[in-house]
Amino acid sequence: FPEMLSNPRLTAVERTVNVVINQNVTLSCHSDSGSPPVRYTLFKHNQKVSTVNRADLTPGLFNVTINSASDTGEYKCKAENSIARGEKYSNSLSFILIEPISKPVLSSPTSQAKEGQNVTLSCLSENGSLPITYIFFKGRKTLSPPVKMQKREAAVIFLFINSSSDFGIYKCRAENSFCNTTKYSNSFNFTLAAEERSHSQPLLISLVLILLLLIIGLALAIPFFIIPSYKASE
């Protein structure tokens, strides 16, 4: 007597569900047990894609091209043999569309700093599949552990400008799961902020000028007072 098929398993032959645009993938639909021949049908979003027949219990293979994001949706397959209403459905399978990251931008709210000041650096890639991992550098030195962002938000680190050596060149690196590619940011460096003049300095300068003017004025006035007094005493 014909034996009913087991529920088929739908898998990606490439062993990964991460795909890129225009990638060709192969799906395998396979019932481990049951009476052949077997008819396998592939569905995408509950719409029939194609059908293959197998004379034995070898897997049914389907070639799919990921042309757009809509092609990454839910896939299922159906296995059926000569038993009436004995069709069995597989698990669902969805692909994850992976996009390359764009060059990250490294920035800070301020470009000037002075020793003893706390500053922040932000690194952000505007495009690319999430999650994105960011790493900050000063020269070739890593500044912090990798920062993994699950949202389209900038990774931020906090720095303390301790000495003049902290005014070097900073960079950040971004990477995601797209073919293990990485992108480096623009260079960024803080410039030394000019020390603000003390409010007492202008006042002190003004007082010195006034004093000088008084001395000069007094020196000019002395002849007019001393000489007439001397003549009057004669």
Side-chain angles (χ1 to χ4, degrees), residues 44-172:
K44 181 181 73 175
H45 304 301
N46 296 321
Q47 298 293 319
K48 180 180 176 180
V49 176
S50 61
T51 300
V52 295
N53 296 303
R54 290 290 182 262
D56 49 23
L57 290 179
T58 55
L61 300 179
F62 302 91
N63 294 316
V64 176
T65 301
I66 307 299
N67 292 312
S68 65
S70 63
D71 294 324
T72 62
E74 185 179 81
Y75 289 83
K76 282 189 175 183
C77 70
K78 180 178 70 173
E80 53 189 335
N81 58 9
S82 59
I83 297 179
R85 295 185 298 277
E87 63 269 12
K88 296 290 181 135
Y89 287 87
S90 74
N91 55 292
S92 61
L93 178 68
S94 298
F95 292 100
I96 300 173
L97 186 62
I98 301 298
E99 298 176 296
I101 52 177
S102 57
K103 180 179 178 179
V105 176
L106 183 64
S107 61
S108 175
T110 178
S111 61
Q112 293 186 333
K114 55 186 178 181
E115 293 181 12
Q117 181 177 343
N118 292 305
V119 294
T120 60
L121 281 174
S122 301
C123 186
L124 175 64
S125 287
E126 292 287 352
N127 300 302
S129 302
L130 298 170
I132 298 176
T133 300
Y134 297 95
I135 301 176
F136 292 84
F137 299 90
K138 180 181 178 294
R140 295 184 178 181
K141 179 182 177 182
T142 302
L143 295 178
S144 67
V147 182
K148 192 172 186 178
M149 303 298 295
Q150 301 288 347
K151 296 181 179 180
R152 188 75 60 191
E153 296 176 350
V156 179
I157 63 169
F158 299 90
L159 303 172
F160 179 71
I161 303 298
N162 188 47
S163 64
S164 58
S165 62
D166 295 321
F167 289 95
I169 295 177
Y170 293 85
K171 280 191 175 185
C172 69

